[in-house]
Amino acid sequence: MNIIFMGPPGAGKGTQSDFIIEKYHIPHIATGDMFRAALKNETALGLEAKKYMDAGKLVPDEVTINIVKERLQEDDTKDGFLFDGFPRTIAQAKALDEMLSGMNRNIDLVINIDVPFDTLLKRLSGRRICKSCGASYHVEFNPSKVEGVCDKCGGELYTRSDDNEESARVRLETYTNETKPLIAYYQEKGLYHEVNGLQSVEDVFNDIAKIIEGK
């Protein structure tokens, strides 16, 4: 099963991806995580991506596509994958279609988690990440037991540079302008499904599972 998760920053794609991976045993391909790993390792690609991520802008297609192309050649993607955060533009979607066609593969489902702009802004600006293990928290919706300390490993929590309110607003506006056209693109292909992201985490996943199992 080859799945694309759509939805703006803060919609909960990462959380739902974890549930899908556990239940359906397919690898999670999140370009954001790959960019941050490249940055941590101080690769040329990571440093190039950083200047765009810090400004809350989308990383250029050429950089993103090169990372994804390498990832799809790894053995664990042969039986399916879950894209989180890619594609984000029509150009990326077409490049993905071309890549998959060359591998005799295709996208089976596109699932969009829909959440209003104001709610997303509130979610993003309150997000905190563990420096050690990468666990995610929120000062209001999912606080750590001890402020500033990760429940899982005791690491220090911090606000990502692209999670401050100004950068978050830019990210959401960028999404609206550049990514939403993908909805029409995948609707035309008959692959698009939408889930209400204002529900509880459990209810969101239940709706997603119904879509996957109804395929």
Side-chain angles (χ1 to χ4, degrees):
M1 180 68 68
N2 302 328
I3 304 171
I4 291 173
F5 249 159
M6 285 183 62
K13 297 188 299 297
T15 298
Q16 296 301 329
S17 293
D18 289 341
F19 293 151
I20 292 174
I21 295 162
E22 181 178 354
K23 183 169 184 176
Y24 299 105
H25 309 292
I26 56 176
H28 180 216
I29 303 178
T31 52
D33 289 344
M34 286 190 286
F35 288 145
R36 283 186 283 277
L39 177 58
K40 183 177 181 180
N41 294 328
E42 297 186 340
T43 66
L45 181 60
L47 294 174
E48 183 177 356
K50 182 179 186 299
K51 61 184 179 182
Y52 297 97
M53 294 170 66
D54 285 350
K57 297 180 180 179
L58 294 179
V59 175
D61 288 349
E62 183 178 358
V63 177
T64 303
I65 289 168
N66 283 338
I67 286 183
V68 172
K69 186 174 183 179
E70 291 179 353
R71 183 68 180 89
L72 287 179
Q73 292 171 344
E74 296 182 18
D75 288 341
D76 66 338
T77 68
K78 288 182 178 179
D79 295 324
F81 53 78
L82 177 69
F83 273 129
D84 173 1
F86 178 87
R88 291 187 175 181
T89 65
I90 296 295
Q92 288 180 358
K94 291 180 177 179
L96 176 61
D97 287 344
E98 184 176 344
M99 278 192 290
L100 291 175
S101 177
M103 299 174 181
N104 292 318
R105 304 170 74 177
N106 59 274
I107 296 299
D108 296 304
L109 290 171
V110 178
I111 302 174
N112 180 41
I113 303 178
D114 185 53
V115 181
F117 187 98
D118 290 345
T119 301
L120 292 166
L121 190 60
K122 191 173 184 180
R123 287 182 181 181
L124 288 173
S125 59
R127 185 158 59 178
R128 301 292 183 268
I129 306 295
C130 177
K131 287 185 177 180
S132 299
C133 72
S136 180
Y137 299 88
H138 193 282
V139 294
E140 181 178 349
F141 305 122
N142 181 34
S144 58
K145 295 177 181 177
V146 177
E147 185 176 354
V149 179
C150 177
D151 294 346
K152 296 181 179 180
C153 73
E156 179 185 353
L157 302 184
Y158 75 106
T159 302
R160 273 178 16 194
S161 57
D162 55 346
D163 277 346
N164 65 68
E165 185 168 345
E166 182 179 352
S167 289
R169 187 177 295 276
V170 172
R171 290 171 69 195
L172 292 173
E173 290 174 349
T174 299
Y175 171 83
T176 299
N177 293 333
E178 298 189 20
T179 310
K180 277 197 171 181
L182 284 172
I183 292 175
Y185 181 81
Y186 286 117
Q187 281 176 329
E188 290 178 3
K189 291 177 174 290
L191 301 174
Y192 180 82
H193 300 265
E194 189 167 283
V195 175
N196 178 7
L198 291 178
Q199 304 175 91
S200 69
V201 170
E202 293 77 15
D203 286 344
V204 170
F205 179 66
N206 287 338
D207 283 354
I208 290 171
K210 289 176 183 176
I211 293 170
I212 292 174
E213 292 169 16
K215 173 64 178 174

